Amino acid sequence: MLSEPTTSVDVDDTSSNIVMDQKALRKANKKLMKAERRAQREGRGDPLAGQKICDMCNASVNLLVRCTYDESQQWKMVCGKCWKVASGGVVDGDSTHPFYKYGGLW
């Protein structure tokens, strides 16, 4: 008597599909992130990316100066226009700006 071949159902088949879907999703997400970074490098990205807020005038700018300029001696981040007000336009400050201290560019 000949018996018919039995087909086995793989229990792990559904979990395997889920794992493959997660892997495909991660891969697609990685490609999207790479494309966004590439666009930013080439100047086609978000124009507001990398901008920071000035502590004095709240303007959004690309470059800030870290300095202290008042009695609190707290480090503040100021834009170029506000830096001239905070420092008197002099890198090391002057006698009319006794609380000014330069802390670098950001």
Side-chain angles (χ1 to χ4, degrees):
M1 181 185 268
L2 293 175
S3 64
E4 290 188 31
T6 59
T7 58
S8 63
V9 176
D10 191 3
V11 177
D12 292 329
D13 192 36
T14 56
S15 63
S16 176
N17 285 340
I18 292 171
V19 170
M20 292 300 284
D21 289 342
Q22 289 174 343
K23 187 175 179 181
L25 184 62
R26 279 194 312 270
K27 187 173 183 177
N29 195 19
K30 187 174 182 178
K31 282 187 176 224
L32 179 65
M33 295 300 289
K34 281 185 175 184
E36 287 175 2
R37 286 194 304 265
R38 187 179 313 111
Q40 192 65 32
R41 274 194 317 268
E42 294 173 353
R44 297 180 289 113
D46 182 12
L48 299 178
Q51 294 210 335
K52 305 155 202 81
I53 303 296
C54 172
D55 287 334
M56 286 180 83
C57 68
N58 292 321
S60 181
V61 295
N62 290 328
L63 184 70
L64 294 174
V65 177
R66 178 178 176 246
C67 63
T68 60
Y69 56 85
D70 57 11
E71 300 86 18
S72 70
Q73 292 293 298
Q74 296 290 315
W75 290 106
K76 308 283 183 166
M77 305 298 276
V78 297
C79 65
K81 288 181 182 179
C82 294
W83 174 79
K84 290 178 184 172
V85 173
S87 70
V90 181
V91 176
D92 293 326
D94 56 16
S95 59
T96 58
H97 300 88
F99 301 109
Y100 176 77
K101 192 183 323 179
Y102 176 77
L105 297 175
W106 298 80

